[in-house]
Amino acid sequence: MCGIIGYVGNNNSVPYIIDGLKKLEYRGYDSAGISILQNGSLVTVRAVGKVAELEKAALLANPKGSTGIGHTRWATHGKPSEENSHPHTDCSGDIVVVHNGIIENYLTLRDKLHSLGHRFKSETDTEVIAHLIEENLKHVSAETDAELLIKAVQKTNAEISGAFAYGVLWARTPGLLVGVKNQSPMVVGLGENENFLASDVPAFLKHTNKVLFLEDGEIAVLRVDGATVLGKDGKVKKPKPVKISWDQQTAEKGGYPHFMLKEIYDQPQAIEDTLRTARADFGKILGLNTEALRGLQNIHIIACGTAYHAGLVGKYYIEQFAGIPVSVDLASEYKYRTVPHRVDTLAIAISQSGETADTIGALKKAKSLGFRTLAICNVLGSTLTRTCDSTFFTHCGPEISVASTKAFTSQITSMYALAIFLGNANGNLSQNVFDKLYKELMALPKAMSEAVKDEYTVRHLTRKIYKADRFIFLGRNVNFPIALEGALKLKEVSYRSAEGFAAGEIKHGPISIIDKGTPVFMLMPYDSLFEKMLSACQECRARGAFVVAVTTEQGAKQAKDVADKVILVPQASDFLQPVLNVVPLQFLAYWIAKRLGCDIDQPRNLAKSVTVE
Ligand code: F6R
């Protein structure tokens, strides 16, 4: 789980690489490094900490050269330290490698290479790649150094196993950069007399929006004047470049102090963009299989973290609107439990990044069981989307903040759209009911624009409660997953202890942790369960809790009598209400983290894409 950027062109590569690394920090940020090819030798600078530390070190060392690679790390093998930072070199120091992923057989390879005389300087699995290329260079023959390097890389790929993407520079081949992709992301940016290799598009989007998405097993060979892609069989392939419509500004903060805040405010647009294609896309996805859809008996939803919470909401939707039984699993659990083999099952994987190893692993298992597969994903060309039978894209643009906000509401919106289209296609919803639900769905972006207007109430409230040790979130039915999400968001960015529960469940145990002044957030829209939520408010208040009711205008009057504070959210239909209810909880997490001085966009111990199991 790391970020890779490589540059080959006519300019000094250092500013391109440092800037690209900053855009990739969401992938990991415990150490960083660059290697630049300068006058025939490699100059490497590495630093522990964020890219800003590397930038300072690079300014001092001042390397210059038009071919270079860089890396920002999230440790998997070996602690975050300068020795373990990438790039890693072979014995000669002429080969450098940056790598994302895990080499599963690295210990065996390391022993073998050690017995052949190779000496290692780090604890990482990555260093094995550099030494293996060095070793393999002795066993391949070719007319040019470039061909030699490519052959050695091919031989290396045949010997390493695991999920990996890596970039290589060799001091003997200036103007040449080699990239490999296997189950970890790697893309190529095609510019004018300059080309880029990266883990993700924002790394070079400032310079080009022409992108080649590499497939597993492919090797990219980048030169100043172009890039060649070699397939698994070693033959040249001609992939079509994709034009990315995200501009650089979209990928940057747009004037907000943090990406998280910007992304909360992005939500009306994100939902609108997601819905724009829903009718056509779901029509296509579902229409292709009308016959099969009628026979669909089970749906398995698999996801992790916030995406899992979106899946839990999706279960309510699909069972309500399409009448199909749904199970929702954490991907890391699904992969290792016994899943009965049924031919009439659709597996839906939800993922913002499309690179979450647990989700991809669970999806592969679903495939191996013969299930049809659908991804709900935000990243075009990501591994998940290339593994699934079909994909519905949430078009919410790049989500940079580690804590997911706009992807979550776009995922729920997509699940709602899927459920009603599915219900319409399988005959569970009459056309009239479908039309009504569809109309309500199309009104959601406007309601979301209202929901994001009230940051102030939450901001003001957090002055009173931000020092609390523990926060509780309660909801019922379709708002229960929102309680879980509220707690997760707060934990992630503020490091406070927070728990979400089904409100009906507190009397079975959790109420014992409520103490004098414990902030308890009640998700209580004015629906059929409102009265029950009022009772839960009373129960918590009687134990001394500081009760905050998140409700609509209609519920506010009664909520005022039982809560210490009321936060108003706009009214939507019962089933769309959760999309709006989560907004004050996102602001809450943001403001508590801000008041506590936490690193909001890059919380400690976390990374945006978890590409290892
Ligand atoms: C929470 C968060 C994580 C992710 C989870 C899945 O704010 O960001 O819990 O939701 O790691 O990531 P994706 O959706 O990329 O599969």
Side-chain angles (χ1 to χ4, degrees):
M1 165 124 51
C2 305
I4 292 172
I5 165 93
Y7 172 93
V8 53
N10 291 323
N11 300 317
N12 180 16
S13 59
V14 177
Y16 289 85
I17 293 172
I18 297 282
D19 189 54
L21 288 178
K22 286 183 183 166
K23 303 284 183 306
L24 292 174
E25 268 193 313
Y26 72 92
R27 301 182 60 83
Y29 37 82
D30 61 41
S31 55
I34 51 171
S35 282
I36 308 299
L37 198 41
Q38 180 174 303
N39 305 326
S41 44
L42 287 158
V43 182
T44 296
V45 183
R46 304 185 294 186
V48 174
K50 294 197 170 179
V51 176
E53 299 305 316
L54 172 71
E55 193 173 17
K56 284 184 216 155
L59 264 178
L60 282 177
N62 199 21
K64 283 198 177 74
S66 56
T67 314
I69 49 179
H71 186 271
T72 177
R73 179 171 187 249
W74 187 77
T76 57
H77 291 76
K79 62 184 180 298
S81 64
E82 196 173 326
E83 305 74 60
N84 289 333
S85 316
H86 300 216
H88 290 286
T89 64
D90 65 335
C91 298
S92 69
D94 285 344
I95 295 166
V96 287
V97 171
V98 286
H99 159 232
N100 170 33
I102 289 180
I103 307 298
E104 283 168 2
N105 58 342
Y106 88 103
L107 282 175
T108 319
L109 290 169
R110 197 179 159 110
D111 287 349
K112 188 178 139 198
L113 288 162
H114 196 266
S115 68
L116 291 170
H118 291 264
R119 292 296 169 259
F120 290 81
K121 299 173 279 294
S122 77
E123 304 162 271
T124 65
D125 50 343
T126 307
E127 198 183 339
V128 162
I129 307 175
H131 289 276
L132 200 52
I133 294 174
E134 178 183 34
E135 186 60 32
N136 286 335
L137 276 168
K138 298 178 197 158
H139 304 286
V140 291
S141 53
E143 283 185 7
T144 65
D145 284 342
E147 285 167 35
L148 269 183
L149 178 62
I150 294 163
K151 283 192 173 171
V153 166
Q154 284 167 328
K155 191 162 161 30
T156 299
N157 291 347
E159 290 173 62
I160 55 180
S161 60
F164 51 82
Y166 67 89
V168 193
L169 266 188
W170 190 20
R172 274 172 45 184
T173 52
L176 185 89
L177 196 57
V178 176
V180 168
K181 173 181 170 14
N182 187 52
Q183 294 176 48
S184 287
M186 186 69 104
V187 293
V188 172
L190 301 170
E192 288 291 318
N193 292 321
E194 56 185 17
N195 294 298
F196 304 81
L197 187 68
S199 302
D200 198 0
V201 174
F204 53 70
L205 196 53
K206 206 174 178 176
H207 312 291
T208 179
N209 65 351
K210 255 171 85 180
V211 180
L212 293 176
F213 290 99
L214 300 182
E215 297 286 338
D216 285 343
E218 286 181 349
I219 297 177
V221 182
L222 278 72
R223 295 185 170 83
V224 179
D225 56 359
T228 313
V229 175
L230 305 174
K232 258 187 193 157
D233 55 4
K235 293 199 178 124
V236 175
K237 294 177 81 177
K238 290 212 164 20
K240 237 178 123 194
V242 176
K243 266 208 166 159
I244 297 291
S245 56
W246 298 347
D247 57 17
Q248 191 61 41
Q249 226 192 344
T250 315
E252 289 179 5
K253 283 186 206 149
Y256 290 95
H258 297 95
F259 280 112
M260 183 179 177
L261 193 61
K262 172 189 176 287
E263 288 162 6
I264 294 173
Y265 279 100
D266 277 349
Q267 290 179 110
Q269 188 65 50
I271 290 176
E272 187 162 342
D273 291 345
T274 296
L275 286 177
R276 188 167 297 136
T277 57
R279 185 158 221 157
D281 288 0
F282 277 124
K284 228 184 300 159
I285 292 166
L286 305 175
L288 285 177
N289 288 306
T290 313
E291 270 317 302
L293 271 183
R294 294 221 171 88
L296 193 60
Q297 297 296 324
N298 295 288
I299 292 185
H300 294 179
I301 297 179
I302 42 190
C304 303
T306 287
Y308 170 71
H309 297 154
L312 291 174
V313 179
K315 172 182 164 72
Y316 288 93
Y317 290 168
I318 295 172
E319 293 186 343
Q320 173 76 21
F321 299 133
I324 301 169
V326 180
S327 66
V328 191
D329 275 73
L330 289 164
S332 52
E333 290 295 315
Y334 188 86
K335 199 171 159 195
Y336 297 104
R337 78 167 167 89
T338 302
V339 178
H341 180 267
R342 302 269 313 247
V343 283
D344 49 9
T345 301
L346 171 70
I348 303 176
I350 309 177
S351 173
Q352 188 284 128
S353 62
E355 299 297 346
T356 302
D358 288 325
T359 308
I360 293 166
L363 195 272
K364 283 186 178 160
K365 172 174 176 167
K367 273 198 117 166
S368 73
L369 289 167
F371 303 163
R372 277 164 284 155
T373 54
L374 168 67
I376 307 283
C377 187
N378 194 42
V379 181
L380 189 86
S382 60
T383 308
L384 183 70
T385 63
R386 283 182 282 114
T387 315
C388 277
D389 297 334
S390 40
T391 302
F392 177 77
F393 287 103
T394 48
H395 294 282
C396 65
E399 192 181 61
I400 306 293
S401 160
V402 166
S404 180
T405 52
K406 63 177 177 174
F408 178 62
T409 45
S410 298
Q411 285 160 354
I412 308 182
T413 305
S414 310
M415 291 311 291
Y416 185 98
L418 170 65
I420 63 170
F421 283 110
L422 204 52
N424 197 24
N426 74 2
N428 201 58
L429 290 182
S430 69
Q431 193 58 42
N432 277 352
V433 176
F434 170 82
D435 289 345
K436 178 178 165 283
L437 295 169
Y438 184 73
K439 206 168 150 211
E440 285 169 358
L441 180 61
M442 291 302 138
L444 191 59
K446 191 159 179 289
M448 184 52 102
S449 327
E450 290 303 312
V452 295
K453 276 188 187 150
D454 194 16
E455 181 186 346
Y456 177 79
T457 306
V458 178
R459 173 181 173 173
H460 190 257
L461 168 70
T462 54
R463 279 167 58 180
K464 187 175 167 70
I465 58 172
Y466 77 100
K467 285 191 179 148
D469 289 335
R470 177 187 302 137
F471 294 77
I472 310 288
F473 296 83
L474 301 179
R476 290 186 82 120
N477 194 263
V478 79
N479 285 295
F480 164 44
I482 303 304
L484 298 178
E485 175 61 8
L488 176 64
K489 216 77 312 165
L490 188 57
K491 277 186 268 207
E492 280 182 299
V493 297
S494 74
Y495 322 141
R496 298 278 96 183
S497 174
E499 292 202 64
F501 300 105
E505 191 60 16
I506 48 163
K507 55 187 176 296
H508 299 292
I511 200 160
S512 64
I513 61 173
I514 293 177
D515 212 347
K516 193 168 174 337
T518 306
V520 178
F521 285 80
M522 297 281 183
L523 298 159
M524 44 191 298
Y526 195 68
D527 59 13
S528 59
L529 293 165
F530 182 72
E531 300 285 334
K532 297 204 181 298
M533 289 303 296
L534 283 178
S535 308
C537 287
Q538 307 270 26
E539 287 164 12
C540 295
R541 216 164 174 210
R543 271 83 186 170
F546 179 79
V547 174
V548 182
V550 177
T551 189
T552 53
E553 195 87 51
Q554 281 171 296
K557 199 161 166 288
Q558 289 179 67
K560 267 190 192 120
D561 297 336
V562 293
D564 296 280
K565 176 87 194 161
V566 172
I567 294 175
L568 283 181
V569 283
Q571 175 86 47
S573 68
D574 290 358
F575 280 90
L576 285 173
Q577 198 63 51
V579 192
L580 307 176
N581 288 350
V582 77
V583 174
L585 307 189
Q586 296 170 338
F587 281 134
L588 178 82
Y590 176 82
W591 273 101
I592 289 182
K594 187 158 163 103
R595 293 197 192 281
L596 292 170
C598 300
D599 191 346
I600 294 176
D601 284 335
Q602 293 174 346
R604 69 183 184 200
N605 305 338
L606 296 178
K608 184 68 179 162
S609 309
V610 187
T611 54
V612 292
E613 254 200 75

